[in-house]
Amino acid sequence: MKTAQRIQSIPPYLFAEIDKKKEEAIKRGVDIINLGIGDPDQPTPNNIIEKLNESVKSPNTHNYPPYEGTAEFKQAVAHWYKERFSVNLDPHHEVMALIGSKEGIAHIFLAFIDPGDFSLIPDPGYPVYKTGTLFSNGFPYIMPLLEENDFLPNLDEIDEEIAQRAKLMFINYPNNPTAAIADKSFYEKVVKFAKKYDILICHDFAYSEMVFDDYKANSFLEVEGAKDVGIEFHSLSKTYNMTGWRIGFAVGNKEAISALSIIKTNTDSGIFKAIQQAGVEALTGPQNNIEKMNQIYTKRRDVIINGLNKLGWNLKPNKATFYVWIPTLKNMSSIEFTNLLLEKTGIIVTPGIGYGEYGEGYIRIALTVDEKRLEEALNRIKNSGVLQE
Ligand SMILES: Cc1ncc(COP(=O)(O)O)c(C=O)c1O
């Protein structure tokens, strides 16, 4: 039996490796503090759970759902976009339900990349942008996200010949893993670039609502001309604590949505209607849990930023996402530092190299444990000798 080349070209999924190390440490009896995975620790709001309970009992939800999402779900998305960003969307042609945004992100490459085509992807970045390109036999072209550029790609540095051959570009703000944000002027530059080189822009907007200190994220689609060139991927996962429910959506350029739909109609058969009804409740029901969560994350962020700064780091508080992107100590590689932390303190973090070569020299921590546990993590770092290594 011989697997396809594309399987061999994919590095092991980063979080699977971390999980393995965690299991080994647990077996050794270590009290693990897991700051490695970006999965909200708070439950899905009750109104959404109640809606699922009710919907699941109705036989009308038990058959195959429409491929592209129910009319009600797409309508709810269009309504939410209008309310939140003042962006008009045609629910029939410019909205599509996804089995979590990861599913759509992975599939968009199949819709746009032919063998030998280039994708322009951020590094560090969500790993699926690279693997999605490789699965389509394309070439990922790296756009470095550097601290000195506020973790925005420098579009002027993209090789002219590559830009001519590129089919799509991914951007992601608020950003995983750097927690950076982007403003409309950046999106305007991106639209100009996309028009010049005739490429599709894919904006991964999974963290749109996870924002702090009065910051509000702009949608890429708010910028003039954006819908001519781009789509936005969105998720209910982080916004409504629904990671396990697997529901998200893509919105924007109708040709791109239609191309994605051709891939999807041939690979999956939509999302359980009861989950879509719960999704409608999430998008159209009370929104106060978002603010409540953001207050929780703000407090946790402050604990970590203040605590690490007392230990010698020099970090600015991030305005969005439940991640903190931290330089390693004493020029240690991200893997060395991650392993040292696990060994000496029982803390799991994610090594920056897992997000690409420009993630080297950093680790990412996720603010997905409570303040007490974060204080405990800081104490362990202080008392473990890690700082003296
Ligand atoms: C940047 C980014 N995009 C997309 C996703 C996928 O989210 P989901 O598939 O749960 O919608 C994640 C999940 O962690 C993410 O960090």
Side-chain angles (χ1 to χ4, degrees):
M1 197 190 292
K2 196 158 183 280
T3 57
Q5 202 63 45
R6 73 176 62 82
I7 298 292
Q8 290 152 35
S9 72
I10 303 295
Y13 195 59
L14 179 71
F15 301 133
E17 288 282 291
I18 291 173
D19 269 354
K20 213 169 102 194
K21 285 214 169 93
K22 181 182 82 177
E23 293 312 320
E24 284 163 9
I26 289 171
K27 264 192 211 142
R28 294 199 308 271
V30 179
D31 170 26
I32 293 291
I33 302 180
N34 191 350
L35 308 178
I37 294 192
D39 197 348
D41 57 316
Q42 300 294 307
T44 308
N46 237 330
N47 59 313
I48 303 172
I49 295 172
E50 298 279 305
K51 186 68 195 177
L52 179 74
N53 258 334
E54 182 194 312
S55 297
V56 80
K57 288 179 193 143
S58 160
N60 296 338
T61 65
H62 298 173
N63 55 351
Y64 282 120
Y67 287 108
E68 73 285 359
T70 62
E72 294 76 20
F73 182 73
K74 293 190 297 176
Q75 197 77 49
V77 169
H79 179 260
W80 188 83
Y81 248 72
K82 178 76 181 158
E83 291 283 301
R84 171 69 179 83
F85 304 110
S86 304
V87 169
N88 289 313
L89 294 170
D90 169 1
H92 304 297
H93 301 108
E94 296 177 340
V95 179
M96 168 164 229
L98 299 173
I99 312 170
S101 63
K102 182 179 187 178
E103 177 264 304
I105 292 168
H107 281 142
I108 195 72
F109 292 95
L110 289 177
F112 279 84
I113 298 286
D114 281 321
D117 285 344
F118 281 88
S119 68
L120 308 175
I121 61 166
D123 180 328
Y126 187 53
V128 182
Y129 312 143
K130 187 171 186 183
T131 50
T133 308
L134 296 175
F135 278 164
S136 306
N137 295 318
F139 297 120
Y141 177 86
I142 297 302
M143 302 187 294
L145 303 187
L146 306 177
E147 195 158 354
E148 70 238 38
N149 298 333
D150 297 323
F151 299 110
L152 297 170
N154 185 343
L155 303 182
D156 298 332
E157 277 183 3
I158 295 172
D159 188 281
E160 174 75 27
E161 226 174 277
I162 303 280
Q164 300 283 4
R165 287 176 61 192
K167 296 290 273 299
L168 66 76
M169 175 195 288
F170 253 92
I171 51 173
N172 162 226
Y173 296 96
N175 184 258
N176 176 17
T178 67
I181 54 176
D183 60 18
K184 277 200 202 172
S185 69
F186 170 69
Y187 294 142
E188 278 158 11
K189 280 188 214 148
V190 172
V191 169
K192 220 166 133 193
F193 185 92
K195 290 202 165 173
K196 180 168 175 196
Y197 294 106
D198 194 21
I199 58 175
L200 174 74
I201 304 299
C202 299
H203 182 218
D204 180 348
F205 207 19
Y207 296 91
S208 71
E209 305 313 296
M210 206 181 265
V211 292
F212 321 125
D213 309 332
D214 297 327
Y215 170 70
K216 253 187 164 222
N218 289 112
S219 160
F220 172 70
L221 298 178
E222 286 176 47
V223 169
E224 210 187 310
K227 219 196 265 176
D228 301 337
V229 296
I231 56 172
E232 204 150 61
F233 287 95
H234 215 292
S235 173
L236 275 67
S237 290
K238 314 289 158 93
T239 305
Y240 300 104
N241 298 340
M242 292 174 76
T243 47
W245 297 56
R246 309 315 301 138
I247 182 162
F249 51 87
V251 294
N253 184 277
K254 64 171 184 258
E255 283 79 29
I257 297 281
S258 157
L260 180 57
S261 143
I262 290 173
I263 302 294
K264 277 178 60 58
T265 47
N266 288 288
T267 43
D268 67 70
S269 300
I271 304 161
F272 183 26
K273 281 188 200 163
I275 289 183
Q276 295 195 58
Q277 288 181 5
V280 171
E281 173 63 25
L283 293 166
T284 59
Q287 301 292 302
N288 49 329
N289 197 64
I290 297 177
E291 180 53 30
K292 194 173 127 196
M293 289 307 306
N294 285 343
Q295 279 172 15
I296 291 174
Y297 295 136
T298 305
K299 284 195 194 140
R300 292 176 183 177
R301 176 204 64 179
D302 290 345
V303 166
I304 278 294
I305 299 275
N306 295 337
L308 288 176
N309 283 350
K310 273 189 203 144
L311 296 179
W313 271 271
N314 182 19
L315 305 166
K316 283 194 216 103
N318 46 303
K319 294 266 178 225
T321 78
F322 55 11
Y323 303 118
V324 183
W325 188 237
I326 304 166
T328 63
L329 290 174
K330 303 191 178 90
N331 290 325
M332 255 184 258
S333 79
S334 59
I335 297 270
E336 275 170 338
F337 193 53
T338 300
N339 285 337
L340 184 70
L341 277 173
L342 181 55
E343 205 178 289
K344 299 254 175 183
T345 66
I347 298 169
I348 294 183
V349 299
T350 317
I353 189 75
Y355 301 96
E357 59 181 300
Y358 290 89
E360 188 49 284
Y362 292 87
I363 55 159
R364 189 198 75 174
I365 72 165
L367 302 168
T368 46
V369 302
D370 66 27
E371 284 172 63
K372 255 197 169 154
R373 223 40 196 153
L374 291 174
E375 299 274 12
E376 163 75 15
L378 288 162
N379 276 333
R380 287 192 197 177
I381 294 172
K382 189 173 160 194
N383 301 326
S384 62
V386 164
L387 301 171
Q388 284 75 46
E389 282 287 320

